[in-house]
Amino acid sequence: MADVPTLGVEEEFLLVDPASGAPIARNREVADGAAAKDVELQLELTSCQVETATGVVDNVGDLREQLLRLRHTSAAAAEDAGARLLAVGLPPTLPHDFPVTDTPRYRDIGRRYGMIAREQGICGCHVHVAVPDRDAAVAVSNRLRPWLPLLLALTANSAIYRNADSGHASWRSVLWARWPSAGPPPHFDSADEFDAAVQMLSHTGVIRDDGMVYWDVRPSANFPTVEVRVADVPATVAETVLFAAVVRGCVMTALEAERHGEPVLPLTPYMLKAAYWKAAREGVDGDGVDLENHTAAPMTALLTGLVEQIRPALETAGDLAVVTAGLDRIAEVGNGAVRQRRAWQRNHDVADVLAEAAAATLEDLK
């Protein structure tokens, strides 16, 4: 396992009122309750959100155990605080406004970005994979760009929003794109070029600081990793493990391609935007854009093709069986977006969606 990089995962969760399902501003109380159980939660931009972070692991079995513990402890702390923890990309029902968490940084972001900051409740999942250095992280980012739409479709979990079907599997990604440094990153030739771009965005006031580099894949500002941020928070722990395993396989494949000097797939901005939109709209049960052949293709076929491309890395990491079983499971029962929409279609009642999301959040604890 010497050639297998370590990884870690961050998951963002929504806190809602158990009766109404509306987001509830209790992240400090939930964080305090989790701290008493030896789990540290991060406060997010809006006070109806918390974030968990695993430790560094080298296998998906340990990752699964940590994710289970973090979700279980966070859900118990939320219950103690009079809230319910949900793994959803967006609130299925929501108030007119989200209160910004009362810290100096978040207050300043709220002032600078107005409604973009105050209409949040957006919950994602970030996977960190170890890489040799920042130049390697940038090179990997370039090579992951064509796969980002597939990873988005795989994890889509925000179909129901404002008590309605959004018409998209991942409406979160559409709303998230309003930030000036969100979405797929540009191609960068080096870490220096990446840093210069971030410096320009900061010096011109487009972003407040480098913590607001929200691109869907980026060199981590704090760890020797590449960070993949494209996902909605997956509905279940099993889906998060699947996502993390696929991301690590992609990173390992990209590093190997870089070592051998293989060409990077050329992508025009409009092609990548089109692939993103189709992934957000259709999710796993529709068509996606084949960026190599410039054609439409079933997303399931594109995901199967991705797994074949990264198969040697998955075999090296010992993750192939986990990924194959995970994709088979999604084909059988759907991912978060499919499950949300299925619950909604029963009675067009958001209570059914909330119940489905609550069960999925802790599903793997059974």
Side-chain angles (χ1 to χ4, degrees), residues 318-338:
D319 292 342
L320 182 60
V322 169
V323 169
T324 301
L327 290 176
D328 287 346
R329 178 68 175 163
I330 285 177
E332 179 184 353
V333 303
N335 64 359
V338 173

Side-chain angles (χ1 to χ4, degrees), residues 112-304:
R112 292 185 185 213
Y113 295 92
M115 195 61 73
I116 293 178
R118 294 195 299 273
E119 278 196 346
Q120 281 288 294
I122 289 174
C123 296
C125 176
H126 311 151
V127 176
H128 291 259
V129 180
V131 291
D133 52 46
R134 284 174 56 77
D135 278 314
V138 170
V140 166
S141 297
N142 293 334
R143 293 181 180 277
L144 261 56
R145 291 168 76 236
W147 294 334
L148 293 174
L150 308 186
L151 299 175
L152 173 61
L154 179 65
T155 59
N157 187 27
S158 49
I160 307 303
Y161 183 64
R162 293 184 182 271
N163 300 335
D165 189 329
S166 70
H168 292 68
S170 175
W171 188 239
R172 176 207 63 88
S173 65
V174 177
L175 296 186
W176 187 243
R178 298 176 300 180
W179 290 97
S181 56
H187 179 107
F188 292 108
D189 289 330
S190 66
D192 287 343
E193 186 180 7
F194 175 91
D195 292 340
V198 172
Q199 187 176 54
M200 183 280 292
L201 292 172
S202 181
H203 285 177
T204 56
V206 173
I207 61 175
R208 181 186 186 274
D209 50 45
D210 60 9
M212 292 188 68
V213 178
Y214 294 149
W215 285 320
D216 286 338
V217 56
R218 68 182 188 185
S220 172
N222 302 312
F223 307 106
T225 64
V226 63
E227 181 183 3
V228 178
R229 309 167 44 88
V230 70
D232 289 9
V233 62
T236 67
V237 164
E239 289 170 54
T240 299
V241 171
L242 168 64
F243 172 56
V246 171
V247 166
R248 180 163 65 175
C250 290
V251 171
M252 293 171 65
T253 302
L255 286 170
E256 189 68 13
E258 190 68 16
R259 279 193 288 268
H260 287 86
E262 296 177 13
V264 177
L265 181 70
L267 289 174
T268 61
Y270 79 87
M271 287 173 56
L272 190 52
K273 183 175 182 178
Y276 257 76
W277 185 84
K278 282 289 282 185
R281 174 71 175 82
E282 304 287 345
V284 292
D285 55 352
D287 281 350
V289 176
D290 183 334
L291 287 171
E292 287 196 55
N293 299 307
H294 302 180
T295 59
M299 186 58 71
T300 51
L302 294 174
L303 286 167
T304 298

Side-chain angles (χ1 to χ4, degrees), residues 47 49 60 217 342:
S47 52
Q49 294 172 271
V60 295
V217 56
R342 186 185 301 133

Side-chain angles (χ1 to χ4, degrees), residues 60-74:
V60 295
D62 289 346
L63 178 67
R64 178 180 180 275
E65 292 305 312
Q66 288 198 30
L67 291 168
L68 286 171
R69 175 174 177 266
L70 289 168
R71 286 197 181 199
H72 180 265
T73 304
S74 301

